[in-house]
């Protein structure tokens, strides 16, 4: 019959072998590539949670992308009381890589955005506006 120490040593050897295999990439961490690929990036998102950091308010905006065009319809939902008259926003225009202009029905620019990370946009103009658009 094997002693208690024999089984403990066997478990330690297996554990160390597993850690070495993980560190050299021989065994993956078990992350499903389909799950991680489904995370939405800011450039192709169709819904954003707009966060007013100054007043701790949020609202949701839907973006209806028109394939082949750089101007898309923006539909704010329950954004009354948000800064820069976000409730009046109607268009989202991609002006250059990582830059966006949001306008109202008359074409007046309400704000300009810049991509902040892979998952959101920050308002860069007007400068005193503390809003961010977070993709989900």
């Amino acid at each position: 019959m094997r002693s208690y120490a024999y089984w403990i040593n066997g478990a330690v050897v297996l554990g160390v072998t597993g850690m070495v295999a993980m560190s050299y990439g021989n065994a993956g961490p078990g992350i499903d590539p389909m799950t991680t690929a489904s995370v939405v990036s800011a450039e192709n998102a169709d819904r954003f949670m707009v966060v007013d950091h100054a007043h701790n308010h949020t609202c949701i905006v839907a973006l209806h992308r028109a394939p082949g065009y750089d101007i898309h319809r923006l539909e704010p939902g329950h954004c009354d009381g948000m800064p820069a008259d976000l409730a009046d926003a109607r268009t989202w225009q991609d002006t250059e890589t990582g830059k966006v202009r949001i306008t109202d029905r008359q074409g007046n620019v309400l704000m300009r955005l810049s991509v902040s990370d892979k998952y959101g946009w920050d308002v860069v103009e007007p400068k005193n506006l503390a809003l961010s658009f977070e993709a989900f």
Side-chain angles (χ1 to χ4, degrees):
M1 185 160 147
R2 305 277 184 210
S3 71
Y4 182 70
Y6 174 83
W7 293 109
I8 295 295
N9 286 337
V12 169
V13 169
L14 284 175
V16 169
T17 304
M19 289 187 332
V20 169
M22 289 289 290
S23 69
Y24 283 109
N26 295 333
I31 296 174
D32 181 13
M34 293 305 290
T35 302
T36 57
S38 67
V39 175
V40 178
S41 70
E43 286 84 11
N44 62 11
D46 60 354
R47 291 185 306 162
F48 295 93
M49 179 173 62
V50 182
V51 180
D52 178 4
H53 300 282
H55 301 101
N56 201 23
H57 293 285
T58 62
C59 73
I60 303 296
V61 296
L63 181 59
H64 304 279
R65 294 188 184 273
Y69 294 93
D70 63 349
I71 297 178
H72 314 287
R73 185 168 63 90
L74 188 67
E75 182 181 1
H78 306 291
C79 291
D80 295 333
M82 292 292 278
D85 299 324
L86 186 60
D88 296 332
R90 293 298 175 262
T91 62
W92 171 290
Q93 182 179 10
D94 300 312
T95 56
E96 58 185 89
T97 304
K99 305 286 183 191
V100 167
R101 177 176 35 223
I102 294 180
T103 61
D104 62 11
R105 288 181 201 267
Q106 289 77 31
N108 301 319
V109 177
L110 299 175
M111 62 189 78
R112 296 178 197 277
L113 311 177
S114 179
V115 69
S116 64
D117 58 16
K118 283 176 53 175
Y119 309 107
W121 299 86
D122 287 330
V123 174
V124 293
E125 201 174 293
K127 296 205 182 284
N128 62 346
L129 201 56
L131 285 181
S132 63
F133 287 64
E134 299 172 9
F136 70 98

